[in-house]
Structures are given as structure tokens and as C-alpha cells.
């Protein structure tokens, strides 16, 4: 997908605590790390949400999914499919939105460093 909101960008509730990507509706979403799904389901206004415990105090939050393919408690491999994006009603010109937040010991950190270190 294409990055539409960067970590720290101005947002309605203050600086963005994650990354927002616009992608085609129905795009496959994969786990950014190997670990365990600790939450999988609807959450407030985020729609379907997945939280992956990556170990060493790191957790990824993935939101904007229309379908979840990982259940809480399941073991995940990095790159394993975990869900599908929605229909694109996000106002991004028919593109769906995926929100990605990385937390270390409960605090949001910029996930770009995580992705650079693993590519």
C-alpha cells in the first residue's frame, strides 16, 4: 500500500501513533513478525483488530481489517496471512486503509525502524 499518514503526523487526537496505508480493497494483510495473536476481533471504532505479541516487549496492532484469519492464541509466522482489508469506504478514493502501530513495553514507537531492520 501507499503511506497516507506517517508516525507523528498531526491527527484528530494528537500526533499519529502509527502508520496508515491506503491499499486496494480486499488486499491481503500479513503478520509483520513471528509471534502470537493476543487479540483478534472487533474493537471500538477500529473495526476488526489484531494484536500480535512479537516478543521482547513488542506488540503490533493492525486495524482496518474486514476479515480476520488469525484467532487469539494462535502462533503466527512473519509474513503469514492474517486477514483482508475492507471495501474501501475510507475516503481514500476507493482504497481501503490499514492502520499499523508498534508498541514497545506499552508505548507507541515508530514502526519504520522495525521494518527497515527486517528487510
Amino acid at each position: 500500500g501507499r503511506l497516507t499518514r506517517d508516525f507523528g503526523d498531526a491527527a484528530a487526537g494528537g500526533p499519529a501513533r502509527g502508520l496508515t496505508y491506503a491499499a486496494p480493497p480486499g488486499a491481503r494483510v500479513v503478520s509483520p513478525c513471528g509471534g502470537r495473536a493476543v487479540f483478534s476481533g472487533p474493537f471500538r471504532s477500529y473495526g476488526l483488530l489484531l494484536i500480535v505479541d512479537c516478543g521482547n516487549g513488542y506488540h503490533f496492532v493492525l486495524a482496518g481489517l474486514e476479515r480476520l484469519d488469525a484467532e487469539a492464541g494462535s502462533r503466527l509466522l512473519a509474513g503469514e496471512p492474517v486477514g483482508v482489508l475492507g471495501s474501501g469506504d475510507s475516503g481514500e478514493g476507493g482504497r481501503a486503509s490499514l492502520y499499523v502501530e508498534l508498541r514497545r513495553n506499552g508505548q507507541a514507537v515508530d514502526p519504520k525502524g522495525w521494518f527497515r531492520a527486517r528487510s
Side-chain angles (χ1 to χ4, degrees):
R2 179 179 52 85
L3 185 65
T4 58
R5 180 173 290 143
D6 203 347
F7 183 86
D9 282 356
R17 298 184 332 176
L19 307 173
T20 303
Y21 293 92
R28 170 76 57 193
V29 177
V30 299
S31 179
C33 65
R36 186 172 56 88
V38 293
F39 181 86
S40 176
F43 187 77
R44 298 184 187 161
S45 64
Y46 291 95
L48 294 178
L49 184 132
L50 178 69
I51 300 175
V52 181
D53 180 347
C54 303
N56 297 320
Y58 286 98
H59 291 80
F60 264 101
V61 177
L62 306 172
L65 300 152
E66 182 173 89
R67 186 182 84 214
L68 283 167
D69 296 330
E71 297 178 5
S74 61
R75 302 295 282 154
L76 300 170
L77 300 173
E80 180 176 347
V82 294
V84 174
L85 289 183
S87 61
D89 298 331
S90 66
E92 291 288 339
R95 310 221 3 124
S97 286
L98 173 67
Y99 176 74
V100 178
E101 182 176 306
L102 176 62
R103 295 176 131 322
R104 180 158 195 251
N105 299 322
Q107 298 298 314
V109 296
D110 190 342
K112 289 188 301 296
W114 174 282
F115 294 130
R116 274 193 298 273
R118 285 151 182 83
S119 61

